[in-house]
Amino acid sequence: LLIQTAKGLAKLMGSETEIVLHDLIEHKIVFIANGHITGRSVGYQLKENMLINAVLDSVDEDGHAVGSKSKTIEGKILKVSHFVYYDEIHKPYAMICINQDVSQLAALKDKLDNYIGTEKNGITDHHSSNNDEHYIHQVVKNLINDEMEKLKPTPLNTKETKLKVLETLENKGVFDVKDSDSPSLREMLSISQATLYNYLRELRQK
């Protein structure tokens, strides 16, 4: 019955998940799917102390230990879950182990974090508002504040300084976004809409 369950889990989880059925009486593997993940096969002998100390003591009242992190000798990152089966006197006799190889997902997560990370521009939460206009205004404010900090102690009251800020925003592609020429931008720079357009025209003609 447990072998059939393990086979079904293997079909469900796919080739990146190793499904192992351990016989805790004979201390060996009696079924394994996708053994390439850890390099084991049917008949592999288990170390009783390892099982007792590392798994049996960590399971909850249902005999489950779900989602712990592990790593193979080759460096594969695994999400590991154990399901222990007990007899009528609560002696463990079998265990299904699910080893999910999440190495590629972990690498993808790192790439996504690097790609969408925004802490350098002082933006920490894209999703705090569903209002696109509000978000754009907040981005502009953060970028301007960053530039003002860099320019200190130079006051932001000369054309040269304002052009420098606008040039940074232009280089970051801010003005390619709809509604980026917001009232908050003009207010912070103390310029009119016409002056803003003139300054941008001047920058783009360089």
Side-chain angles (χ1 to χ4, degrees), residues 78-117:
L78 302 180
K79 180 180 178 182
V80 179
S81 299
H82 296 94
F83 302 92
V84 180
Y85 298 86
Y86 301 89
D87 62 18
E88 63 277 2
I89 60 172
H90 204 68
K91 180 180 179 180
Y93 68 87
M95 178 175 66
I96 289 179
C97 181
I98 300 176
N99 298 315
Q100 297 172 272
D101 184 354
V102 295
S103 302
Q104 294 183 17
L105 291 175
L108 178 59
K109 178 181 180 298
D110 289 341
K111 289 182 179 179
L112 288 173
D113 286 344
N114 290 332
Y115 182 74
I116 67 176

Side-chain angles (χ1 to χ4, degrees), residues 179-199:
D179 295 329
S180 57
D181 57 333
S182 63
S184 59
L185 168 60
R186 300 194 297 272
E187 181 181 345
M188 294 182 76
L189 292 178
S190 299
I191 58 177
S192 66
Q193 187 174 41
T195 301
L196 172 62
Y197 291 161
N198 287 335
Y199 283 176

Side-chain angles (χ1 to χ4, degrees), residues 9-193:
L9 288 171
K11 293 174 183 177
L12 173 67
M13 302 298 288
S15 62
E16 297 303 313
T17 299
E18 180 186 73
I19 308 294
V20 190
L21 177 58
H22 300 286
D23 182 335
L24 300 185
I25 305 300
E26 298 292 333
H27 305 299
K28 65 181 181 180
I29 291 176
V30 293
F31 171 83
I32 187 168
N34 302 316
H36 62 275
I37 291 176
T38 61
R40 297 175 298 174
S41 58
V42 170
Y44 179 88
Q45 290 293 316
L46 309 174
K47 297 179 181 179
E48 184 176 4
N49 290 337
M50 177 188 69
L51 287 172
I52 296 298
N53 296 329
V55 179
L56 298 181
D57 289 345
S58 67
V59 298
D60 60 22
E61 64 274 10
D62 297 316
H64 303 158
V66 178
S68 61
K69 185 177 179 180
S70 185
K71 186 178 286 189
T72 67
I73 296 175
E74 295 80 12
K76 297 175 184 176
I77 301 173
L78 302 180
K79 180 180 178 182
V80 179
S81 299
H82 296 94
F83 302 92
V84 180
Y85 298 86
Y86 301 89
D87 62 18
E88 63 277 2
I89 60 172
H90 204 68
K91 180 180 179 180
Y93 68 87
M95 178 175 66
I96 289 179
C97 181
I98 300 176
N99 298 315
Q100 297 172 272
D101 184 354
V102 295
S103 302
Q104 294 183 17
L105 291 175
L108 178 59
K109 178 181 180 298
D110 289 341
K111 289 182 179 179
L112 288 173
D113 286 344
N114 290 332
Y115 182 74
I116 67 176
T118 53
E119 291 185 3
K120 291 183 179 178
N121 289 334
I123 306 160
T124 56
D125 185 5
H126 281 200
H127 308 290
S128 60
S129 171
N130 291 324
N131 188 304
D132 289 343
E133 183 177 356
H134 172 78
Y135 171 64
I136 292 169
H137 294 176
Q138 191 60 50
V139 169
V140 171
K141 282 184 178 180
N142 287 330
L143 290 173
I144 292 175
N145 286 332
D146 283 351
E147 291 308 307
M148 290 174 67
E149 285 294 320
K150 293 176 186 176
L151 290 171
K152 282 184 177 179
T154 305
L156 193 67
N157 58 5
T158 66
K159 177 181 177 180
E160 181 182 359
T161 307
K162 293 174 183 179
L163 281 173
K164 188 175 293 186
V165 172
L166 290 173
E167 185 173 21
T168 300
L169 299 179
E170 171 77 356
N171 291 337
K172 290 179 182 291
V174 168
F175 299 110
D176 294 331
V177 181
K178 182 180 179 292
D179 295 329
S180 57
D181 57 333
S182 63
S184 59
L185 168 60
R186 300 194 297 272
E187 181 181 345
M188 294 182 76
L189 292 178
S190 299
I191 58 177
S192 66
Q193 187 174 41

